[in-house]
DNA sequence: ACTAGTGTTATATCTTTCTATAACACTATA
DNA sequence: TATAGTGTTATAGAAAGATATAACACTAGT
């Protein structure tokens, strides 16, 4: 995984794990990789992984079991809500950015349509 | 202007000014507000403003004139390119985020369409 | 010349993030 | 009960970002 040096790593790890959960790579109740393993995989320090997990635990998406591991919540509704929140957050950010450039609603839609079309041709 | 505490302020200022240029609030050749004034308006330190400007100058979008002020480049083509880059960057980020959630191209389009529709109803 | 307005640079200090390293706490199983 | 696997916490140091404050450099107009 590559990190954007403009955003705290712990924050990107959090988003990365949320993505994997919403995408279904990590199912309800699944055990996460061990913190030390995650640290190795992501080439970061254990404390940095822990910082991300601490927040996810506080938000109720991860349930820690000391000595056993960290587990994805078994609360399906919570994950559904998370997905909707992510979709809304990303859509809102995209809309606001283009709106700030004075693009109309129609032009905003066209922008993403055009991007998707071009993408199909030259796979970037 | 509100800052996102997850991203360096100087970087957000840079994007903010690029937005104002692309949106046409700042025209080709226009003089920018004085650095001290910008610092007051954005409630940040002069050095922070200067850090943003330094990079914009290095990228050729701002032309500094010591003792007179900072000016938007008069190179129209450069601004056009900037607009396209911004559109592409934002579209790409949006696409990748939703693609990582395993949404299809069609679903990605629907997501932004739905957002825009809902937005019209309850103005958020 | 002086002055007001402007850009530019420097210093010291604070905060946040990240790191390396180590130790401690708990669970499951041989 | 020993041990391997796991989570948790702590300390000290490095690096980046932001701040307050101050000084220096240039321009334009009086």
């Amino acid at each position: 995984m590559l990190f954007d040096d403009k955003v705290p790593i712990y924050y990107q790890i959090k988003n990365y794990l949320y993505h994997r959960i919403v995408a279904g790579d990590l199912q309800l109740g699944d055990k996460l990789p061990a913190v030390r393993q995650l640290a190795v995989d992501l080439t970061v320090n254990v404390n940095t992984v822990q910082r991300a997990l601490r927040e996810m635990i506080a938000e109720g998406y991860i349930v820690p079991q000391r000595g056993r591991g960290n587990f994805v919540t078994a609360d399906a509704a919570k994950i559904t809500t998370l997905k909707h929140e992510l979709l809304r957050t990303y859509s809102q950010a995209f809309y606001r950015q283009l709106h700030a450039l004075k693009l109309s609603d129609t032009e905003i839609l066209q922008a993403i349509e055009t991007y998707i079309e071009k993408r199909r041709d030259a796979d970037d």
Side-chain angles (χ1 to χ4, degrees), chain A:
Chain A
M1 183 191 177
L2 294 178
F3 293 111
D4 175 351
D5 71 352
K6 293 293 184 302
V7 182
I9 294 175
Y10 80 88
Y11 194 77
Q12 296 182 62
I13 292 175
K14 202 173 137 182
N15 281 320
Y16 165 70
L17 292 175
Y18 279 156
H19 270 215
R20 291 199 52 196
I21 291 172
V22 169
D25 298 332
L26 289 167
Q27 302 275 335
L28 296 186
D30 270 5
K31 182 181 165 188
L32 264 59
V35 288
R36 286 177 186 75
Q37 187 58 48
L38 274 175
V40 169
D41 293 347
L42 303 172
T43 59
V44 297
N45 190 271
V46 179
N47 286 312
T48 307
V49 171
Q50 202 72 5
R51 167 86 187 261
L53 292 181
R54 195 190 316 147
E55 297 197 359
M56 298 175 82
I57 290 164
E59 291 168 12
Y61 295 105
I62 296 294
V63 179
Q65 295 195 33
R66 196 185 183 109
R68 295 193 60 233
N70 287 295
F71 298 81
V72 177
T73 178
D75 184 344
K78 209 153 171 42
I79 304 302
T80 303
T81 303
L82 175 59
K83 177 170 182 173
H84 291 155
E85 275 175 13
L86 288 179
L87 284 181
R88 182 193 151 81
T89 298
Y90 294 143
S91 298
Q92 185 173 74
F94 179 64
Y95 183 87
R96 285 184 177 165
Q97 285 161 337
L98 270 61
H99 199 66
L101 297 182
K102 291 205 168 37
L103 268 70
S104 69
D105 287 5
T106 307
E107 289 169 324
I108 291 175
L109 267 174
Q110 282 172 347
I112 187 67
E113 277 170 12
T114 303
Y115 175 79
I116 291 177
E117 276 173 26
K118 280 191 187 162
R119 202 183 155 281
R120 262 196 267 273
D121 306 338
D123 222 49
D124 53 351

